[in-house]
Amino acid sequence: MTVAASTSATTLVPPPAIATQVPAVPTASGDAGETQAHRPMQERRHSVDGFALTDRAHVHEPIDPRIHELPSNEEVAQGLFHHHPHHARHAHAHHQHEQQAHDQGKIQEEQEETKRPESRATATAVPPAVTEKGLESGLSDETVDEDVIYVEYEKGDPRNPFNFSRTRKWAMTAVLVSFTALTAATGSAYAMGYNTMERDLGCSQELAALGLSMYALGFGLAPLVLASFSEEFGRLPMYLVSTAIFALFFIPMAVAKNIQTVLVSRFIQGMAGSTGSTLVGGTLADIWVTAERGIPMSLFALMACLMTGLGPVTVGYVDMNPHLEWRWIQWLGLIFGGACFAFMCIVMKETRASILLTREAAKLRKETGDNRYRARVEDERTSLKTLIYISFTRPLFLLITEPVVASFSLWVGFAWGMLYCLLESVPYVFQTIYGFNTGELGLAFISMVVGTLIGWAFNLFVQERLYRRNVGRIGAEARLYSACLAGIMFPIGAFIYAWTSYPQVHWIAPVIGVTIITTAVFLVYLAVFSYLADAYLIFASSALAGQSLCRNLAATAFPLFTFSMYERLTPQWASTLIALLASLLGVIPFILFFCGAKIRERSRFAKMLAATIENS
């Protein structure tokens, strides 16, 4: 690990216990034409038990991408004061004694230099000291006379999540992708138990379908808060708590005596399950370097959509069995959720580097009694309240003010809503028109699995090649080739689904329509993530949070009116209405493909990005 040192107002050297273990490291000299006063501060770096010391002047970028400026020395001081409140009793006397402490430090240093043997000075090889004003706010005199030593990873450090063994990485990836698959399957498998649930709980079709919406609502709202908690407490606690809650809330649904218990449990379960969508991508980015991240990320995205279709397939015959029915759909969920939690406990480790470095710094402070050891994030991170505020407001601000984010979010929201609409309409169409039983109906959802696999293959073998070939010429818009194709496929699939849903037409025809729709939805799903990430860079997380909110709110709304719409308009005209809307929204990727760069140039965020790139 690496330790970067920030100096206080007085000239300082590392404590003797550290210095004795440190080999001398040459420092870079300034330009010959510069005066001593304006020469860049010399970097101080040496190793101690796997650590190194570097002055804070050579820290150029903040840890948190939402922070665009490094903290000032006063802010660093406030951070140290916050983490070591026992210094508060000295705060009132600091400014009165600052100059006196400075003079005393010089005298003590001169005395120590005269007493120190020549051989000892050579052996310790203390790097040259540096000076910098700061560390003033709310600190005692003795604290001001200390460096701030930042703890960071050295290259190849096995404690760095990037350097976990490949076996560990793939084991963690498998557990995370399995949790994503479970949360996706749970969302859709619920719909297969409507008939027996309505009978047992005495509720209507609309109330039973509300459980589908409540799950999506919890899935959409929770990430606005949970993302900030993961930054404060780490990813591992979030996974363990959320997986446990997700698994446990199958129990009240399985034993429920009324629909209200089911609805509340589904909402809480959706909130807990959202970590399987929002945190997994970040965790994979924590452990896989960019060149190796493609396959793990594609598996994650594949499971998010694939299991939405596979969920109903796996439980269709469970609901048909009079000894099992809808309650055993929940008990099976509990079994798989419990297994997932067990593997989480065994396999997962904390991967958020800022949290790990904060713990290492705290360990060093405790072991050495030296309160100068800090992680950079301790100075740069703002309060949890502020993080939550940013997580709530910035995605909404981007949705309102950024035409690119707003239009793409509208389209992906409609596409994702259509996916949940299929969970409602496919049972209605295939049971009322073709007379499918519940088990056969579950098999009809294989079309969604096939559609997802086709979209995944197209993205892997066609879209990625087109991107690599054209990204240098057209930039982020090279991510939109598949999205443009989806804009054409979506209405075509919806029209096929609409006008082949007749008893005299073989059931395979609407199945083909559903397959085409699902392929288009998956291509849109992948395109929105990659395009917004490329287009908004440091603001990508906020842009993606905005589209995620829009997407899940649409998934909340669509099931509420799907059954009534198909019943009143007939399946043919209801699906035609969806096809017409898909045709209108299908122009969005073409507009962004040809005009997206010009639209972004006019935005406030684009100007901030340009300034960031220019200064980097």
Side-chain angles (χ1 to χ4, degrees), residues 375-439:
R376 283 176 54 193
V377 71
E378 293 181 87
D379 292 334
E380 296 177 10
R381 181 168 51 200
T382 185
S383 67
L384 179 61
K385 179 180 177 181
T386 303
L387 289 177
I388 294 175
Y389 175 78
I390 294 173
S391 296
F392 261 106
T393 57
R394 184 176 285 173
L396 296 176
F397 186 78
L398 282 166
L399 275 174
I400 295 171
T401 62
E402 288 293 303
V404 170
V405 178
S407 59
F408 220 151
S409 297
L410 176 65
W411 190 40
V412 75
F414 174 78
W416 204 250
M418 181 59 192
L419 194 66
Y420 273 71
C421 179
L422 289 175
L423 297 176
E424 290 281 303
S425 66
V426 166
Y428 183 85
V429 168
F430 285 88
Q431 284 182 323
T432 58
I433 296 178
Y434 296 105
F436 279 24
N437 60 38
T438 307

Side-chain angles (χ1 to χ4, degrees), residues 19-42:
T20 56
Q21 306 174 44
V22 177
V25 178
T27 56
S29 60
D31 190 289
E34 293 179 330
T35 63
Q36 182 68 24
H38 295 87
R39 184 174 299 169
M41 294 173 58
Q42 291 180 309

Side-chain angles (χ1 to χ4, degrees), residues 115 194 212 253 263 278 282 287 299 324 344 346 350 365 394 424 505 536 590 612:
K115 294 178 181 179
Y194 283 172
L212 200 63
M253 285 192 287
L263 297 181
T278 56
I287 61 177
L299 287 174
L324 302 178
M344 280 276 186
I346 296 170
E350 181 58 58
R365 290 195 295 265
R394 184 176 285 173
E424 290 281 303
V505 180
Y536 286 89
F590 291 95
T612 301

